[in-house]
């Protein structure tokens, strides 16, 4: 009975995470929790206020311009779900690199790629 319950629970979790909606919820739920602390994190890495403001502005502008292009390309190629799951996976992997950043240009590169891949 316990094995059957565990198997049912695992199936439910696997189904949830394999759906685009599950990924979307987990990704943006996590981002909503971390977003307010990102400027503090950047400051702790030695960046000044102007650099932090420039990085956050650059990310928003790039995401606003590149997002529609990537989505349009995914629609045109009929690979929406694949682009969504690949971009989520790459952005999550990219976020693991932020703690390694020490210089302003490193964060510029990370945030540019992040903005390009943001769903």
């Amino acid at each position: 009975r316990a094995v059957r319950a565990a198997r049912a629970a695992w199936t439910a979790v696997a189904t949830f995470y394999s759906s685009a909606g599950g990924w979307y919820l987990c990704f943006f739920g996590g981002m909503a929790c971390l977003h307010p602390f990102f400027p503090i994190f950047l400051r702790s890495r030695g960046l000044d206020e102007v650099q932090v403001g420039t990085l956050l502005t650059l990310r928003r502008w790039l995401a606003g311009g590149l997002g529609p292009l990537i989505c349009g390309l995914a629609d045109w190629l009929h690979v929406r779900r694949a682009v969504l799951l690949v971009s989520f996976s790459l952005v999550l992997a990219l976020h693991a690199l932020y703690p390694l950043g020490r210089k302003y240009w490193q964060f510029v590169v990370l945030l540019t790629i992040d903005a390009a891949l943001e769903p």
Side-chain angles (χ1 to χ4, degrees), residues 30-110:
M31 290 298 291
C33 294
L34 295 175
H35 185 69
F37 301 103
F38 193 59
I40 297 168
F41 169 75
L42 292 174
R43 292 277 297 152
S44 75
R45 293 296 179 189
L47 277 63
D48 63 27
E49 293 90 358
V50 174
Q51 291 173 326
V52 171
T54 303
L55 284 174
L56 297 177
T57 303
L58 174 71
R59 185 177 185 281
R60 286 289 118 210
W61 277 92
L62 287 173
L66 294 174
L69 292 174
I70 291 174
C71 291
L73 183 64
D75 284 344
W76 185 57
L77 296 174
H78 304 288
V79 290
R80 288 178 220 119
R81 185 180 179 107
V83 168
L84 184 65
L85 292 176
V86 167
S87 67
F88 280 151
S89 301
L90 290 175
V91 167
L92 288 173
L94 182 70
H95 285 181
L97 296 176
Y98 281 120
L100 301 176
R102 298 276 186 236
K103 299 188 185 322
Y104 178 69
W105 70 266
Q106 293 169 334
F107 288 108
V108 168
V109 170
L110 288 171

